[in-house]
């Protein structure tokens, strides 16, 4: 089976940092998609499509229109089809002050992206891939990123509930990442190495529930609430 992880810098594996330049990336075996690949075993191909600063469907006037996730999604889907499952972990970059997007707007944007996957016919035999939505953990307004994300911390606290509602409407699997991991206190956005491991374990359990006939998953203890389908 093929699993596509479509997200932003936390799927890319950006290391929490206070530097604006020369930023680094965790090694493949320390990023959550890479850890997930190992946990799911040889029966799964896990594709990493993490793009730093990627939004749901917004052109970034400063960092470029290529940051628009909805623009890049069809390319990723068609490049790797047939795709059994698409995991969407987006929304944090939509919190940037320049977009002035409300939590409701961002949740609606995730729904647009999820429905684009469901209408893509890039699953096995031209069917739709299954979809899993991950609500990013709440962010913090820290250091140099604080000005870029003014007001974002309060908005991000609503992601868990609102993204769960989207998952229910779409019939998608769901994980509120804020129930299992926290954003780093270093930059308020990115995940520490241990959080990548914890997140991968939580995702693996849901994938196992969705595809019980697939290779056995090594269960990793997690904390918090995880739902395979209804998200609430």
């Amino acid at each position: 089976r093929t699993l596509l992880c479509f997200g932003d810098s936390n799927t890319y594996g950006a290391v929490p940092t206070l530097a604006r330049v020369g930023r680094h990336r965790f090694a493949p075996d320390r990023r959550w998609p890479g850890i997930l690949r190992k946990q799911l075993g040889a029966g799964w191909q896990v594709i990493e499509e993490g793009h730093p600063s990627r939004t749901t469907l917004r052109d970034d006037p400063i960092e470029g229109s290529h940051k628009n996730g909805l623009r890049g999604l069809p390319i990723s889907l068609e490049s790797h089809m047939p795709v059994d499952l698409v995991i969407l972990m987006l929304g944090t970059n939509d919190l940037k002050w320049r977009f002035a997007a409300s939590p409701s707007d961002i949740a609606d944007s995730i729904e647009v992206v999820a429905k684009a996957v469901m209408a893509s016919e890039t699953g096995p035999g031209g069917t739709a891939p299954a979809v899993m939505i991950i609500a990013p953990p709440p962010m913090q307004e820290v250091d140099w990123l604080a000005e870029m994300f003014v007001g974002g911390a309060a908005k991000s606290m609503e992601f868990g509930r609102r993204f769960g509602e989207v998952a229910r409407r779409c019939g998608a699997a769901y994980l509120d990442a804020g129930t299992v991991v926290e954003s780093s206190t270093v930059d308020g956005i990115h995940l520490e190495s241990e959080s990548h491991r914890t997140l991968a374990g939580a995702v693996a359990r849901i994938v196992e529930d969705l595809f019980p006939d697939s290779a056995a998953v090594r269960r990793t203890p997690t904390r918090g609430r995880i739902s395979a389908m209804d998200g609430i």
Side-chain angles (χ1 to χ4, degrees):
R1 295 184 186 277
T2 298
L3 189 165
L4 176 66
C5 301
F6 191 80
D8 52 30
S9 55
N10 273 324
T11 299
Y12 171 84
V15 177
T17 180
L18 295 179
R20 293 199 66 161
V21 296
R23 287 169 280 178
H24 300 287
R25 183 184 192 186
F26 286 118
D29 62 353
R30 295 179 65 193
R31 304 193 289 262
W32 73 261
I35 299 168
L36 178 64
R37 180 184 299 115
K38 184 176 180 179
Q39 293 187 349
L40 293 179
W44 282 90
Q45 178 185 23
V46 178
I47 299 166
E48 298 180 75
E49 280 288 353
H51 186 183
S53 297
R54 176 179 277 156
T55 67
T56 53
L57 45 66
R58 291 171 173 80
D59 290 351
D60 193 314
I62 295 175
E63 297 182 61
S65 60
H66 64 295
K67 300 296 185 179
N68 183 325
L70 191 61
R71 288 180 185 271
L73 179 65
I75 299 171
S76 295
L77 289 171
E78 293 177 16
S79 294
H80 301 292
M81 65 180 185
V83 179
D84 294 271
L85 173 64
V86 178
I87 298 179
L88 301 173
M89 186 175 172
L90 291 168
T92 300
N93 289 300
D94 297 68
L95 294 168
K96 290 175 179 176
W97 173 255
R98 68 185 68 138
F99 295 123
S102 68
S104 177
D105 285 343
I106 298 171
D108 287 346
S109 300
I110 281 289
E111 185 167 356
V112 171
V113 177
K115 288 181 176 178
V117 175
M118 295 172 176
S120 67
E121 300 182 351
T122 54
T127 61
V131 176
M132 177 178 170
I133 295 172
I134 300 180
M139 62 160 290
Q140 303 176 50
E141 294 172 41
V142 177
D143 204 75
W144 68 277
L145 286 168
E147 186 175 3
M148 189 183 298
F149 285 88
V150 171
K155 292 179 182 180
S156 68
M157 294 295 292
E158 297 190 39
F159 276 4
R161 176 177 63 85
R162 292 183 182 274
F163 282 36
E165 293 170 352
V166 169
R168 178 184 288 135
R169 289 197 297 269
C170 294
Y174 177 63
L175 172 64
D176 179 358
T179 65
V180 294
V181 296
E182 297 178 352
S183 298
S184 172
T185 57
V186 173
D187 62 15
I189 297 288
H190 299 112
L191 301 178
E192 298 286 358
S193 180
E194 186 55 36
S195 292
H196 277 269
R197 184 164 301 280
T198 301
L199 180 61
V203 172
R205 293 187 59 165
I206 296 178
V207 173
E208 181 186 42
D209 288 342
L210 291 172
F211 298 90
D213 60 331
S214 63
V217 177
R218 184 183 66 192
R219 291 184 178 274
T220 301
T222 58
R223 61 181 175 85
R225 179 186 60 196
I226 302 172
S227 169
M229 287 304 294
D230 64 10
I232 301 298

